[in-house]
Amino acid sequence: MLAGVCAEYNHAMTGATNSLTDAKKALRAKVLAAREALPAAARHAATDAIMQRLVSLDAYRDAGCVLTYMSFGAELDTHRFFDRVLRDGKMAVLPRIDKVSKSLRLHRVESHADLVDGVWGIREPRAGAPLVTMTEIDMVLMPGLAFDRAGNRLGYGAGYYDRLLAPVAYQKPLRVAAAFDCQVVDAVPVGPGDQPFHILITESQLLQISRQKLP
């Protein structure tokens, strides 16, 4: 009897996991196609608007240490934001992928000379750049593919940022998502390990999620 109940439970859990995986896969494909279809002129204009909103945030102006990332492909161009962080005299931090532990190592970067080509050709800090801990970060610019107005984010599937943020309190550091309007969806399918954000910025809106609303 007990063995039968356990088998039914395991089957249900496997089905739920497969359903979540399939839903995320389908949404990734849909949003990727929409993002890739953006004309260059529209992408450039949207990036200008997003960057203006991003650097106008009180949270950005007050931050002494900012974790960002170097964009690739059709992503929102974050190289300009990285340069702005440096010009504003803040501590600029970038992630380096540790392929062995499948985790992100955070390094302080003082110029483009500190960067090398990493996994998938994404620019990342050289191995010898000074390490930084999450407790030093005031603001995180989070990459992602899809975002909803409830504070949920869909990444590329490797889970690097979810594992990075899981051990720290939701309230700090401030988590900011910046993306094109076409990446905002009605609902992002989420699992127990998926990490939410606080602020969403697009070319047409700035949405702030209450830090008390989410665990």
Side-chain angles (χ1 to χ4, degrees):
M1 176 69 175
L2 180 59
V5 171
C6 290
E8 290 181 10
Y9 176 80
N10 290 336
H11 179 73
M13 290 300 99
T14 300
T17 299
N18 290 340
S19 177
L20 178 62
T21 300
D22 291 344
K24 287 184 174 184
K25 183 178 180 180
L27 184 57
R28 283 191 186 99
K30 178 181 178 181
V31 175
L32 269 173
R35 196 180 68 180
E36 293 283 347
L38 280 175
R43 185 186 305 276
H44 183 76
T47 299
D48 285 344
I50 292 168
M51 287 299 136
Q52 185 175 357
R53 282 195 170 98
L54 182 58
V55 299
S56 296
L57 289 174
D58 289 342
Y60 172 74
R61 290 197 295 265
D62 295 341
C65 183
V66 178
L67 169 60
T68 183
Y69 65 96
M70 300 303 273
S71 56
F72 76 104
E75 285 185 324
L76 172 76
D77 182 5
T78 62
H79 294 66
R80 290 164 54 185
F81 180 62
F82 169 70
D83 291 338
R84 177 62 183 266
V85 172
L86 291 177
R87 287 201 309 272
D88 287 343
K90 302 178 186 295
M91 182 188 295
V93 179
L94 289 172
R96 178 181 175 87
I97 294 178
D98 186 325
K99 291 182 286 188
V100 175
S101 64
K102 296 183 178 179
S103 63
L104 297 177
R105 299 293 178 90
L106 307 182
H107 297 263
R108 178 174 184 173
V109 178
E110 297 183 346
S111 74
H112 284 270
D114 290 331
L115 303 178
V116 297
D117 287 337
V119 180
W120 306 301
I122 301 172
R123 300 290 283 172
E124 66 178 23
R126 56 182 174 79
L131 285 168
V132 177
T133 65
M134 280 300 296
T135 58
E136 299 175 73
I137 307 295
D138 298 310
M139 173 181 160
V140 179
L141 183 63
M142 302 174 66
L145 267 176
F147 308 87
D148 66 25
R149 294 173 180 83
N152 299 308
R153 164 190 167 273
L154 177 68
Y156 291 89
Y160 284 107
Y161 276 82
D162 293 321
R163 290 191 293 275
L164 176 70
L165 293 169
V168 300
Y170 171 70
Q171 285 72 22
K172 187 180 183 298
L174 183 77
R175 307 172 183 186
V176 179
F180 302 116
D181 279 331
C182 65
Q183 295 176 252
V184 182
V185 299
D186 290 336
V188 168
V190 294
D194 295 325
Q195 294 295 308
F197 57 85
H198 301 125
I199 294 177
L200 173 63
I201 298 174
T202 74
E203 62 266 38
S204 70
Q205 64 181 307
L206 190 159
L207 177 66
Q208 188 153 358
I209 310 299
S210 170
R211 298 199 202 186
Q212 281 69 48
K213 285 179 62 176
L214 300 172

